[in-house]
Amino acid sequence: MTSNETKRPASGASQPVSSVRERDDAQLQRMGKKPVLKRNFGILSIIGFSCTILGTWEGLLGTFTSPLTNGGSGGAIYAYIFGWIGTFANFVVLAELASMAPTAGGQYHWAAMLAPAKYMKFISFVTGWFAVLGWQTAFAASAFLTGSMIQGAAILGNDAYNALPWQATLICWCSLTLALAINLVGGKLLPRAETFLLVVHIAGFFAILIPLVVMAKHNTKEQVFLSFQNGGGFKTQGLSWFVGMTTCAFAFGGADGAVHMAEEIENASRVLPQALMISVGLNGCLGFGILTAMLFCASPDLGGKLGKVTGYPYMGIFLEATNSVSGSLAMSAIVIVIYVLAMMGLLAASSRQLWSFSRDRGVPGWRWLSRVSTSRHLPVHAILVSVTISWLLAIIRIGSDVAMEDIVSMAISGIYLSYLVVTILLFIRRVRGDISLSNDRDDEIINVPGAKLVWGPFRCPGILGIIINGYAIIYITIIVFFSFWPSKMDPKIAEMNWSILAIGGAMFLAILYYVFRARHIYAGPVVEISL
């Protein structure tokens, strides 16, 4: 990786905070945007934000049975490694783009600046809607998992408790309300909470890993690394492995979460890439550690009856390892607390993405959604709408678990489809050599549709950048393709993965909106000021 030198002064710890913020605002203005949000995030708080939105080791505990069913223990290990490498390549691409254009819009802004002029409006619009659908459903899916996980802990503590679907919905609403309250306070509270959550994210990993490894009976290395399973009844073991592998993509999902906070980060063009690369390295290590430990310590029936009743086998595995209900509850509580608090960041990212797309007139009601509170410097309307969408989607949980699982698949496919578009566009541009190494004029609009393309401080140069970019395209394509597959061959109607119908239907409505309305008002990222 290289840092491009320009004629602008380099950032450093010795620089006054005001000069850093002035340069951040100037960079945003060079992309045609007015600075309206406060830059409250620094390097540590945005690393915490990115790490906990990814939540790789926590996410694996909540969903790791899928790669075991389709892939087996060995398959889960190698699926994780494949996903980690692919995610690294994806993060490099996102870090390069975030360094070029650190705006809250993220993918749709990048698509607009990279796409051919003739197709720019439509490609950017579709990319923006992929991101909207992906982030709104990801936030809802996280709330669903949190609610059902709290119910699972209640069953662990009291086996007489009868968990009802409507209770899970109420718990979802409580978690959503907490995330809403913290986001509406604004100021330094959210960055400080994310810094604290980073500490819990790392310390909690060891608080679970150590008693689990020390107290549990261990499987052999052959059972862990050489055991494969085709629980879905697919024609080949390889096909089964690919279907189960998408769960690892969910554990690494949300790579662009920090990107949508770009206009609230000091020295964003440098700090954002650093935060992305640190988070994929740190989370990858923690995720691999917890996955390996769980596979060495899990019984063949994955937590036994308790694992099946709660819906979360890790709780049963904790109980088998410690032989203590209170100890298992304490370990499970660590995971649940992180899930609950991570929703703060998920709401912030999803609302900023919606707000930015509204600012550029990409969604119905854009005038109202794009408003920013002058007292709090927050997109309050976008925050409220994001929470309301999740409140409404949580009602689905009362009638169908399968429907909520489809929402999880929608989150994966929506977000990764937005990645795929910009990754392909960047690959074409870099192969053609359309991106300049530096810009000599500080009074020129850059990295917007029709303007000059300039690399940011972070980039992967030469043939290495092309290889990583190409591999990211291959990886994301595989994830998107298999995210639409059911978990078993010849599924019944209730076992079908309806996410392709859901996201297809939503995109069909979005395109209808584009044809009849948006194409007349949406022109890609709006240049709000001129230099």
Side-chain angles (χ1 to χ4, degrees), residues 120-126 129 357-358 360-366 507-526:
M120 180 277 294
K121 283 174 56 176
F122 183 72
I123 292 176
S124 174
F125 180 83
V126 169
W129 270 98
F357 201 35
S358 303
D360 291 320
R361 307 174 184 177
V363 298
W366 58 268
M507 289 307 301
F508 175 74
L509 294 176
I511 292 172
L512 281 181
Y513 173 67
Y514 178 82
V515 171
F516 290 104
R517 174 61 175 163
R519 66 189 179 94
H520 302 295
I521 59 173
Y522 181 77
V526 174

Side-chain angles (χ1 to χ4, degrees), residues 4 6 100 429 433-440 446-447 451-456 459:
N4 300 324
T6 69
M100 288 176 66
R429 288 287 200 166
D434 292 340
I435 308 176
S436 302
L437 292 177
S438 63
N439 189 60
D440 296 331
I446 61 172
N447 294 335
K452 182 179 181 181
L453 294 175
V454 181
W455 286 111
R459 75 181 182 96

